[in-house]
Amino acid sequence: MKTRFFAPLFALLSLTAFAQKSPDLALTPPMGWNSWNTFGTDINEQLVMEIADAFVNLGLRDAGYTYLVLDDGWMAKERDENNQLVPDPEKFPNGIKPVIDYVHAQGLKFGIYNCAGATTCAGYPGSRGFEYQDALQYAKWGVDFLKYDWCDTENLNAKGAYQTMRDALSATGRPILFSICEWGDNDPWKWGEEMGHMWRVTGDIINCWDCKVGHGTWSSLGVWPIIKLRKDIRKYSGPGHWNDFDMMEVGNGMSAAEDRVHFAMWCMLASPLIMGNDLRSASTETIKTLTNPEVIAVNQDKLGIQAYCHSDEGDLEIWAKPLADGEWAFAIVNMSTEEETLNYDWNRHPVKDDLSGRALEAYKKTYEIRDLFNSKNLGSTQKQLSAKIAGHDVLMLRLRPQ
Ligand code: GLA
């Protein structure tokens, strides 16, 4: 009698006590594509299928890109009579399930978007008050990734709101990567590890090197303002929980060199690599940058340490990232628009990362140097490294102990 009375209580307690984000997802930074930067709410079934095809045909899937994420605008403006979310019938005339099945059939995973508020940022139905129902719906459709935004959330506690959705996802029993998107407003790096697998660290990115565009209460930021704003929260990021520097703007209008810098820095910062361009019309140069295996390997390094700015030599900024097995990655970025010459004596520049305790002491140990974008060996740290770096371009290196 007693057991019968208490059993449901115990079940409920254990569910709450053990609710956690899906374990073992995102042990390295997630890689994929998201519709927002290029398409906004102008998305549909055909686009998703063509993008999925492009993942395969352009070698992006084989390079490691896995998640195809549909952002805001996929739903009808109203829930149905049972309060279920409904895909927009014009954009998705066959529903969302066949689209997800198609994405899965290409060997990819599918991500979807919603918001912790009552409405999404583009004014579609949000999940506030419907978290468990929506999570279950996503799981039934076969969703693998949820990006969860922060519009229309007045009086909501951020940590609590993300915890509710985390628990709702956990209750479905399906592994779903949880991408927290509250723009860094409530220091998500301080509580995000428990709640999700990645968290946005700023407002929205825009496709420029160094600009800020105001929108009243918030600003879109170019590549460098984002990096500079959040370079100091590196200790919060690591396997299973990443600082998300936002979807990339590679291929969206900056120069090829600036795109290389942007990509190199997202790899150095161990940010999720979520492409934001139209893959169907991407140039060969853009795809070459996005699929460079040696550069991606820096991002996917299993230690997952976010790079730090080691020094600047005039206009050349030197970023360092300790890698597994005693290796290091360096990105030497030319911040000026003119060509610069680097003359770097490794013996005279000991490199020490206080966060990881790792040191590169070239006077004690020799490292082989590899130029990652040009797939070239550059000798060793025993001699001075001399190189010319074009304006707004990068020399990205991997150093391996001999
Ligand atoms: C916010 C997010 C963006 C995008 C839009 C969709 O601005 O930060 O990444 O998801 O909402 O409306």
Side-chain angles (χ1 to χ4, degrees):
M1 197 51 188
K2 257 191 191 157
T3 331
R4 265 178 56 201
F5 179 76
F6 284 116
L9 189 63
F10 285 140
L12 188 69
L13 279 176
S14 56
L15 198 72
T16 330
F18 295 117
Q20 53 169 355
K21 68 181 187 185
S22 297
D24 302 331
L25 288 180
L27 294 180
T28 60
M31 295 173 65
W33 177 89
N34 174 300
S35 52
W36 184 255
N37 285 0
T38 297
F39 298 97
T41 59
D42 191 12
I43 49 182
N44 57 52
E45 172 186 288
Q46 192 187 346
L47 173 73
V48 177
M49 291 177 165
E50 287 174 3
I51 293 286
D53 292 345
F55 262 74
V56 178
N57 298 336
L58 298 171
L60 292 158
R61 181 191 61 188
D62 293 343
Y65 295 92
T66 308
Y67 292 96
L68 189 162
V69 184
L70 209 47
D71 208 283
D72 208 351
W74 62 269
M75 303 168 229
K77 285 277 182 184
E78 304 288 341
R79 290 175 180 267
D80 73 6
E81 63 281 9
N82 298 316
N83 282 324
Q84 292 284 67
L85 292 170
V86 190
D88 181 313
E90 276 177 24
K91 297 173 181 173
F92 298 96
N94 302 300
I96 206 93
K97 180 82 171 72
V99 178
I100 298 179
D101 291 345
Y102 186 85
V103 170
H104 285 158
Q106 313 314 310
L108 301 170
K109 294 189 168 169
F110 185 83
I112 213 161
Y113 164 99
N114 210 321
C115 183
T119 51
T120 72
C121 296
Y124 294 85
S127 281
R128 187 170 183 172
F130 299 98
E131 293 86 352
Y132 279 76
Q133 184 174 350
D134 291 352
L136 199 57
Q137 178 69 81
Y138 302 146
K140 284 188 181 152
W141 282 338
V143 166
D144 307 291
F145 177 120
L146 174 65
K147 172 176 170 182
Y148 204 50
D149 214 342
W150 191 239
C151 279
D152 198 13
T153 52
E154 217 159 274
N155 299 326
L156 265 187
N157 170 281
K159 184 177 171 192
Y162 282 95
Q163 178 166 346
T164 304
M165 189 41 110
R166 177 203 71 181
D167 293 352
L169 293 172
S170 166
T172 70
R174 183 176 173 87
I176 298 179
L177 193 153
F178 192 30
S179 161
I180 296 170
C181 176
E182 67 74 77
W183 322 311
D185 285 5
N186 299 278
D187 297 356
W189 41 89
K190 293 193 178 149
W191 44 264
E193 177 175 357
E194 216 187 305
M195 300 307 157
H197 303 92
M198 55 196 260
W199 48 83
R200 278 273 298 281
V201 293
T202 64
D204 294 2
I205 193 170
I206 189 165
N207 57 339
C208 61
W209 176 264
D210 192 22
C211 65
K212 276 189 192 177
V213 178
H215 306 278
T217 53
W218 65 284
S219 301
S220 318
L221 303 179
V223 167
W224 280 99
I226 290 186
I227 297 172
K228 292 286 157 96
L229 189 63
R230 298 303 186 211
K231 65 182 173 32
D232 296 327
I233 54 170
R234 51 191 297 258
K235 74 170 183 196
Y236 297 103
S237 195
H241 52 99
W242 306 100
N243 286 329
D244 172 9
F245 285 76
D246 207 352
M247 288 101 60
M248 295 185 287
E249 294 282 16
V250 174
N252 283 345
M254 285 185 287
S255 71
E258 289 174 339
D259 274 353
R260 266 193 297 279
V261 173
H262 175 16
F263 190 63
M265 287 307 297
W266 262 229
C267 289
M268 293 293 288
L269 296 167
S271 175
L273 295 180
I274 309 293
M275 303 175 288
N277 56 323
D278 186 348
L279 301 179
R280 302 166 309 171
S281 56
S283 69
T284 315
E285 181 97 46
T286 296
I287 297 301
K288 193 172 154 210
T289 299
L290 288 169
T291 55
N292 185 310
E294 294 186 89
V295 177
I296 292 176
V298 169
N299 176 263
Q300 295 291 302
D301 181 74
K302 64 175 187 244
L303 293 186
I305 300 175
Q306 181 176 318
Y308 66 100
C309 188
H310 165 63
S311 58
D312 48 50
E313 312 267 316
D315 284 322
L316 297 178
E317 268 191 21
I318 304 185
W319 290 75
K321 181 184 199 297
L323 303 176
D325 305 321
E327 298 187 33
W328 286 79
F330 287 86
I332 304 166
V333 181
N334 183 350
M335 301 300 286
S336 85
T337 49
E338 307 294 320
E339 182 181 89
E340 296 279 336
T341 304
L342 172 79
N343 287 307
Y344 200 73
D345 184 346
W346 297 93
N347 288 311
R348 290 189 35 228
H349 293 88
V351 179
K352 170 114 200 306
D353 174 22
D354 291 333
L355 179 66
S356 63
R358 287 273 302 278
L360 184 150
E361 291 156 323
Y363 55 90
K364 277 199 207 152
K365 200 189 245 178
T366 302
Y367 292 77
E368 300 295 338
I369 306 175
R370 174 95 174 151
D371 171 347
L372 302 185
F373 276 111
N374 297 305
S375 316
K376 248 179 27 200
N377 296 331
L378 299 182
S380 84
T381 48
Q382 279 188 351
K383 69 174 198 336
Q384 174 171 288
L385 177 68
S386 297
K388 289 196 185 310
I389 305 175
H392 283 191
D393 208 340
V394 60
L395 175 64
M396 190 164 172
L397 307 172
R398 186 177 185 114
L399 271 67
R400 178 169 296 149
Q402 240 176 19

